Amino acid sequence: MKWLFIAAECPWPIIHGRWLRVYHLARTLAARGERVDVHCCLPTAEGIEAYGKVGVGMVVGIGRKHVDRGRALHRFSMFAHDEDFGLSIARQTPGYDVVVLCGSRVLQYAEQVDRTCKILFDMVDDSFLEFARRKQTGRTGLRERLRLFKNRLGKVNLERDALRFVDYTSFVSREDCTSFNARHPRHHTLLVPNGVDVGFFAPPADVPPVAAEGPTVVFTGHMSNPNNELAATWLVQEIAPLIWKGRPDVLIQLVGAEPSAALRALASERVAVTGRVEDIRPYLWNAGVILLSMKSGTGIKNKLLEAWAANAPVVATPLACQGVPAENGANLLLGNSPEELARATCELLANRGKRQALADRGRETVVRELTWGAAAARLNAAFGG
């Protein structure tokens, strides 16, 4: 089969979960013998080289950035419509079997896709779940409520007009599928969970012991994401003080690119805010506990899959575990409140055997059920490949 992934930006470097998903789905389909190309605005030389190494072509949509401001195609939409990009899609898509629209920003171009192609809208997470969860986090001032209401109207209009051209809409978790189907009961949804490169994250035999300054509790994520910033702030301000009561030697590490000034201000002798790191794996391998203190957000958390693949013990909120086979006490420990999360963390730090048992079961989970090969196989099955 011939696959074309359409993205508004060059999906390289991998700086967030969406580009991670595009890259691994594309390379895995190519490894199965499919022809796979990526059509995007302003592809970079580094992106062309990186995708080329895994057998994926990258073609120019337009030789400039997608417009960020200007006329929207749908009333109240937050996405400006780039006519040049739409024309490039109309020219490029004939001859492909499946066209994958990567994200809501690209959904507006569904009508420009050649009618001979099947269309998959890879929505990943249902934003309406995210809207609801943000209201529950306390960020519900009048301005925020008005912004969320306007965004909801824009998404409704976009979906109403564009989904009639789409064959399937895919999500990473069943919760997102259910939320979406409540709005569009006749539309076909496809559950395609994220995977993880289990070989890349596997710890080497000579992994060093926990850092000399003491046991570490690690949170990972791209910190420009408001859900990650909220989780990291909650960890430092409300969970960490309870951990330190029992374990004053614990170092909290917030690992991820683009932390805000407010997040950097949380740094202290017992809190490290790293910013962007070249390789996240050593932080996972050397962690006493990975603590995923998510309070908002939707979909599968790649940070959980990576921690499991790195054979690291995990403590998490239930929200961090949606869409994956998480079992409290088997492959991680769950907690809702700061007290529960701190208690679980201290319990693991005090029990090396339990840490290792949870870590081993976590890695077994991703090896068995959450690889990119399994995700690509779901796509092939849906489209008859």
Side-chain angles (χ1 to χ4, degrees), residues 71-130:
R71 183 181 67 87
L73 194 63
H74 306 278
R75 186 172 175 81
F76 297 118
S77 175
M78 64 176 64
F79 306 116
H81 183 72
D82 193 316
E83 292 185 2
D84 292 336
F85 191 48
L87 291 173
S88 75
I89 289 170
R91 289 193 301 266
Q92 185 66 39
T93 50
Y96 287 93
D97 299 302
V98 183
V99 171
V100 183
L101 305 177
C102 302
S104 295
R105 191 178 184 184
V106 186
L107 176 60
Q108 62 180 312
Y109 301 104
E111 188 174 0
Q112 275 74 53
V113 174
D114 188 82
R115 293 292 186 271
T116 63
C117 305
K118 296 289 187 181
I119 299 179
L120 170 67
F121 168 38
D122 192 32
M123 192 172 186
V124 185
D125 308 323
D126 184 24
S127 56
F128 282 72
L129 272 181
E130 172 68 0

Side-chain angles (χ1 to χ4, degrees), residues 308 312-314 325-333 357-359 361-362 365 368:
W308 273 345
V314 176
E327 299 179 54
N328 188 27
N331 51 21
L332 47 60
L333 293 183
L358 287 179
R361 287 290 298 277
T365 300
R368 184 180 64 248

Side-chain angles (χ1 to χ4, degrees), residues 217 219 223 226-241 244 250-255 258-275 293:
V217 171
F219 176 86
M223 298 303 174
N227 300 315
N228 287 333
E229 179 167 2
L230 178 64
T233 303
W234 191 45
L235 168 56
V236 173
Q237 294 183 339
E238 299 191 41
I239 303 169
W244 290 326
V250 164
L251 172 69
I252 306 295
Q253 291 182 326
L254 308 180
V255 184
E258 299 185 27
S260 66
L263 208 54
R264 288 188 180 279
L266 298 177
S268 68
E269 289 185 357
R270 293 194 287 189
V271 178
V273 183
T274 68
S293 48

Side-chain angles (χ1 to χ4, degrees), residues 191-209:
L191 178 62
V192 185
N194 276 357
V196 66
D197 188 336
V198 293
F200 179 77
F201 283 97
D206 61 344
V207 170

